[in-house]
Amino acid sequence: MKNIDPGMKNIDSFTHARGESIYLDDMPLLEGTLFGAAFGSPEAHGKVLHLDLSEAEKMKDVVRIFTYKDIPGINQIGGIVPDELLLAENLLHFNGMPVAFVVAKSVKAAQAAIKKIKIDIEPLHIITDPREAKEKGELIIPPRTFKIGNTETAWQQCQHIFEGTAETNGQEHLYIETQGAYTLPLEHGTIKVYSSTQGPTAVQRHMAVVLNIPMHRLEVEVTRLGGGFGGKEDQATSWAILCALATYHLKKPVKYSLHRLEDMRMTGKRNPYSSDFKIGLDKNLNILAYEATFYQNAGAAADLSPAVLERTLFHCTNSYFVPNVSATAFCCRTNLPPNTAFRGFGGPQGMFVIEAAIAKAADELGIPAYKIQKKNLLKTGDEFPYGQKAASEANECWNKAEQLYEIDKIEREVAAFNSTNILFKKGISFMPVCFGISFTKTLMNQARALVHVYTDGSVGVSTGAVEMGQGVNTKMLQVAASMFSVDPSKVKIHSTNTFRIANTSPSAASATADLNGKAVQIACKAIIERLKPVAAEMLQTNQEAIQIKNEFVWTGNKQTDLTWQQLVLTAYIKRISLSEHAHYSTPQINFDASIEKGHPFAYHVFGTAITIVTVDCLRGIYEVDAVKIVHDFGSTMNTIIDRGQIEGGLVQGIGWMTMEEIVFDKEGTLRSNALSTYKVPDIYSVPKIIDLHFLETSKDNLAIMRSKAVGEPPLMYGIGAFFAIRNAIKEFNPTATPAFSAPITPEKVLLSLYSKSYKGSQPESFKALIKEHE
Ligand code: MOS
């Protein structure tokens, strides 16, 4: 095995930059391809009285319009709970819920026909608020509670007890490539599906049910995705099945690539949460007790919300040890598009609440929050509310960040700035993160890889991993190249395809590189073990002495003349298999949901971010000056990709916490339905400085090549921006108590700066300044 090059570039960077990467919409279309478009319910809740397709059907170039009546199998696509229809029958549960699928000879014709569909609806009461849903008993699954210790008795030992509420809004995935699929009819009732999905098997499995076709006749092929972020873990399925339904009936290729406005309207987003907290501390600032109640806005169907909710509970104490915890979560059904996975998968929503509780305690006690945070960081052996014990110290990253970034100096500079500036104030926050790696559903922690060595010595690798921009293909290539000790150019990572790799778990939970990479390792090892005896025979030595290094065979520690390619070819001539299909399942993990205890995670990722912001106290706008991170990578296998994940995750987290504001009106209509009304971070809103220190830890772990998972954890560093802005507001208006309601948009900042209690922190100089400007 050869050492990998942690400085290797993403193998896709050239084709991306040149526009040569092939996304779904870049595929050349077959002759006779038809184009689909979904007609979504115009109302959020109601009964269908009459659906009139007649005018739409008469439109030029319209081939056929499908409804639930055309489904040959079962009209059901619910993954965790069977509560979601592919096409609405008599009830409509959210605005945008697919009702009919138009297929036409052009995209234009399909879209034009959509406008001619008429529907009469008897309106029903619309719920958009999860607390109202809970009141009315609209729960998708029974509530779940994670507990450790006994909060009831612990309150009596607390010197300080604080209560409050915290709200986090949803978040649009805004993958650059929208949802879409392209389906082709093949022989013997087989359908080939090109899908922009994180979960090819989910597409295949649900399609099998809806079309009543066995899975072995449904080939789902994924080349690459222009971003997923969780939005294509479950929600790529409907579009693929709609196309397949039309292909099934018409025996024609059918394509549907959603327009951005359709995508924003019809797909679910990050789950918004409304939560209550109660926190108790002793006189030394140890958190003795914590209670939280989470009202998760699941939308109109379960989708992945029950699993998202579970991860909220897993991460409800973030990076802290709390001996007495009771956390309950409600999965609330509302009339919004079914909400779903989004980077962090409920973890960020849970962490925000305990950070709010700590900030509230700090407000009331008149101390900076970091004093409470630092005091309560997890230590090795501390038990999480779900029974697993921490295997590392959270203060490793925290302390390193304090020293490396000279927190004392930062504090002095910020204090100096704040004392000399009236209209601009700076704020600082710490955001420690502890994130568990593994699917919380234990059975999903398995993966397979298929490795072929060809007779010219080149290597082809297929896995269940989906490349969505996160760089997993580069990591898979690094694994195979290092195992065989061949040049990276000798390895090709192939598309993800359900005929080559079956029963895949979605590329999600930050676990894709670990699971699939380990499977690649196992496959490569098996091939190497078969090559060694061949080499030993050729070199007349014993196979224990054989090593394959840099495309040569070595014996003892000496390079021979026997090349990798000669060895491979000889093995082939001797009829030795040069292919291997391998399986990996994560060891040690378990979880018993009946008692809510176990060891669900292979390991945890730790990190700490220090965030410094400047708020413009006249306008309420702000800038993130710097985010300084120490992140525990174990031992990174690719610094460029890992840095990209950290920076991207951070900025996405800051967007969620500060500017991305999803607005549904009371009728359940999405108001922030376009890029003109939904603001995502652009180049001007990213932090001016992002410092990243790669903390290398020597402890063994279950990560691929000890390189810890990096997909989701950095998103939660973005939570630091919320609290830094909040601290800056309090510098201007010490009486302000900005609500724990994210995103903290400039409007909210302005209202807090001049809240009713505002007395003016520097009234005289402030007035003087205003006068000066008059
Ligand atoms: Mo990811 S949010 O686990 O698809």
Side-chain angles (χ1 to χ4, degrees), residues 198 229-231 233 304 341-345 439 468 507-510 712:
Q198 291 171 244
F229 309 117
E233 184 176 340
L304 289 164
F342 195 133
R343 206 173 192 172
F345 205 79
F439 286 98
M468 60 186 115
S507 288
S510 306
E712 293 167 292

Side-chain angles (χ1 to χ4, degrees), residues 237-310:
T237 304
S238 355
W239 324 110
I241 304 181
L242 288 172
C243 290
L245 175 66
T247 291
Y248 171 92
H249 286 287
L250 302 171
K251 305 281 178 279
K252 293 267 191 194
V254 177
K255 183 181 167 188
Y256 185 21
S257 171
L258 274 70
H259 188 282
R260 178 66 66 187
L261 297 183
E262 292 177 297
D263 191 304
M264 290 180 83
R265 174 174 167 228
M266 295 199 256
T267 67
K269 306 154 203 324
R270 183 189 290 286
N271 294 91
Y273 276 60
S274 179
S275 310
D276 298 325
F277 61 77
K278 182 173 175 186
I279 190 169
L281 302 94
D282 69 12
K283 62 178 192 312
N284 299 318
L285 303 181
N286 294 304
I287 305 173
L288 293 187
Y290 178 62
E291 281 182 1
T293 308
F294 301 102
Y295 300 89
Q296 178 200 46
N297 191 333
D303 192 277
L304 289 164
S305 292
V308 170
L309 175 114
E310 185 179 51

